[in-house]
Amino acid sequence: MALEEYEEDYAEIPTSEEDSDEDTRPIQRISQQQEIILPEDSFWSWNLPGRFSRWYQPILFLTFPCLVGNPCSKVRRKDYCRLLVSFLFWIQFVNIAYFIIELALGVKKFNWRDLFFHGVRPSNSSLIKLGAKYAYAIKHHYQIWRLFVPIIMHGGIFHLVVNMLVVIIDCLGYEKIWGFIRIILIYVVSGVAGNLLSCIVFPNNLSVGASSAIMGLYGARLSHLVCRWPKLKPNERTHNIVSAIIYTCIMMVFVFETYTIDYASHIGGCFVGIFMGFILFANYHPKKLTAILVALFSAFVILAYFVLCTVVFIVWIKPVKIE
C-alpha cells in the first residue's frame, strides 16, 4: 500500500456519551483486515504504511517514536502542529535558555570524571544567584520564589538532556489526554512540593531540576489509572498497569542508585502528584459521591502536606549558609 493512501485514513475512534472516557485512543486504519491501535497516552501517531518491517523500528518507536516513518508525512505534520501548542514542549526551551544563562554566569571546575558523568555544570554561585533551592535563604531571607524557580533549572548538561528526553518521549502523551491546564497544575504544584521536602531532608544542599515536577506527572498517571479503572477493558488495564509500574520502578531505581540525585524532591513530587491526580481526575469515576469524597480527601492531604512540611522546616530545620 502506498504511503499517500494510508496517510488519508487517519481518524479518531467514534465515541458515544457512555464510552467517551474509555475509547478515545487514536486509530490508524491500515487496511480492511488490519488496524493499529496506539496506547491512549501515545503522543506520536503511527507513521508507517503497515506494521514494523525493519528490526530497528520497534526499538526506535519505544525510544524516539517521532523518528519512525516519513518525517514529512501528513500524519507527522499533524503531530508537529499539536506539539506547537504543548506546554511541556515550550517549557523545554525555557529550560534550555535558563541553563545557558547559568553557564554564562559561571562554570564549575571539573575533572575528566565529572565531565564524563555530568557534563558541563554551572557553578554554585551561579545557581544561588539564579534561584536554586537554598534552604538558608528561604528561611532567613524569605525567598519563597526559590521553591518555584528550580523547576526550570538544571545542574548539568546531562541532567537537562535526560529530563528533556523523558518529557518528549513519555510525558507529552499525558498532556494530549489530560489537557494543558491539568498538566500545568500538576507540574508546578508537584515541583514546589518536592523542593519543600528537599529543604527538610537536605537543608544544606543546593538543589535544581524539573525532576520533581516530572515525578509528579508519573504520580498523576497512577491516580488517573485508578480513577478510570472501572471503565477500562481487561487488556487496557494490563497494558496501563504494567507500563506505569515499569516507568515508576525505573525512575525510583535511578533515583536511589545515583548519589547525586535529590531523592527527597522526587518522592515529594510523586506523592503530591498522586493526590493532585485524584483531585483532577476524580470525575472519571462512575460513582459521583465516591469521586467527590476522593477529591476532598486528596485536597486535604495536599494541604496537610504543605502545612506540615512548612511547620517542620520553620521550627526544627536549621540550614547553614553556603559560601
Side-chain angles (χ1 to χ4, degrees):
M1 178 177 292
L3 179 62
E4 292 75 15
E5 295 177 353
Y6 97 92
E7 289 172 351
E8 300 296 333
D9 293 332
Y10 180 81
E12 297 289 333
I13 299 178
T15 61
S16 64
E17 294 183 357
E18 296 179 356
D19 60 2
S20 59
D21 288 335
E22 55 184 279
D23 289 322
T24 56
R25 295 172 298 165
I27 180 172
Q28 305 283 165
R29 301 190 182 280
I30 306 304
S31 67
Q32 293 182 349
Q33 295 80 23
Q34 182 187 37
E35 39 183 47
I36 302 296
I37 300 179
L38 301 177
E40 62 178 356
D41 56 0
S42 175
F43 180 86
W44 301 99
S45 304
W46 187 260
N47 194 33
L48 293 173
R51 295 188 180 273
F52 296 121
S53 58
R54 298 289 187 273
W55 65 268
Y56 60 84
Q57 288 177 340
I59 301 175
L60 197 62
F61 185 76
L62 292 175
T63 52
F64 298 98
C66 55
L67 301 180
V68 177
N70 182 1
C72 298
S73 68
K74 184 176 180 180
V75 170
R76 192 58 80 221
R77 290 199 299 270
K78 290 182 179 180
D79 291 339
Y80 299 151
C81 291
R82 190 167 60 243
L83 191 67
L84 293 177
V85 295
S86 169
F87 164 78
L88 291 177
F89 174 72
W90 289 109
I91 197 65
Q92 304 313 309
F93 287 95
V94 176
N95 293 342
I96 294 172
Y98 213 83
F99 183 71
I100 293 174
I101 297 175
E102 293 174 29
L103 295 180
L105 290 183
V107 178
K108 192 170 187 177
K109 294 182 179 180
F110 57 87
N111 53 40
W112 289 110
R113 182 180 180 277
D114 289 337
L115 185 64
F116 178 79
F117 285 103
H118 304 288
V120 180
R121 294 189 292 174
S123 63
N124 287 347
S125 61
S126 172
L127 295 177
I128 293 175
K129 290 178 183 178
L130 291 175
K133 184 228 79 181
Y134 180 18
Y136 181 87
I138 294 173
K139 182 171 183 177
H140 296 285
H141 300 291
Y142 311 106
Q143 297 178 359
I144 308 301
W145 50 275
R146 289 186 179 275
L147 296 174
F148 293 84
V149 177
I151 300 174
I152 60 172
M153 299 181 68
H154 290 82
I157 185 65
F158 290 168
H159 186 197
L160 174 64
V161 170
V162 168
N163 279 348
M164 288 179 59
L165 289 177
V166 170
V167 170
I168 293 174
I169 294 173
D170 196 38
C171 297
L172 281 176
Y174 303 162
E175 184 172 357
K176 176 183 174 183
I177 59 178
W178 299 349
F180 75 94
I181 294 179
R182 287 171 172 167
I183 282 289
I184 293 175
L185 289 174
I186 297 170
Y187 196 86
V188 175
V189 175
S190 299
V192 173
N195 290 329
L196 182 56
L197 184 61
S198 177
C199 287
I200 297 174
V201 180
F202 299 112
N204 300 324
N205 293 353
L206 295 177
S207 179
V208 295
S211 301
S212 57
I214 295 174
M215 289 300 296
L217 297 180
Y218 281 116
R221 185 190 182 189
L222 293 175
S223 51
H224 180 254
L225 174 60
V226 172
C227 291
R228 298 177 62 246
W229 190 263
K231 295 184 177 181
L232 293 178
K233 299 176 182 178
N235 60 328
E236 293 175 330
R237 292 178 178 180
T238 302
H239 166 77
N240 279 277
I241 197 66
V242 169
S243 61
I245 290 175
I246 289 176
Y247 275 110
T248 303
C249 289
I250 290 175
M251 292 296 291
M252 286 302 179
V253 169
F254 178 75
V255 167
F256 287 106
E257 289 298 323
T258 309
Y259 73 92
T260 57
I261 297 295
D262 185 353
Y263 65 82
S265 67
H266 287 66
I267 295 175
C270 185
F271 177 81
V272 171
I274 291 174
F275 288 97
M276 282 294 296
F278 280 129
I279 295 175
L280 298 174
F281 305 129
N283 61 305
Y284 285 106
H285 198 280
K287 296 182 179 180
K288 297 304 179 183
L289 180 59
T290 301
I292 294 174
L293 293 177
V294 168
L296 291 176
F297 175 75
S298 300
F300 171 78
V301 170
I302 293 177
L303 179 62
Y305 173 93
F306 278 101
V307 171
L308 181 61
C309 288
T310 302
V311 170
V312 171
F313 178 64
I314 294 175
V315 176
W316 284 288
I317 302 302
K318 298 180 180 179
V320 298
K321 187 176 181 178
I322 299 177
E323 301 296 340

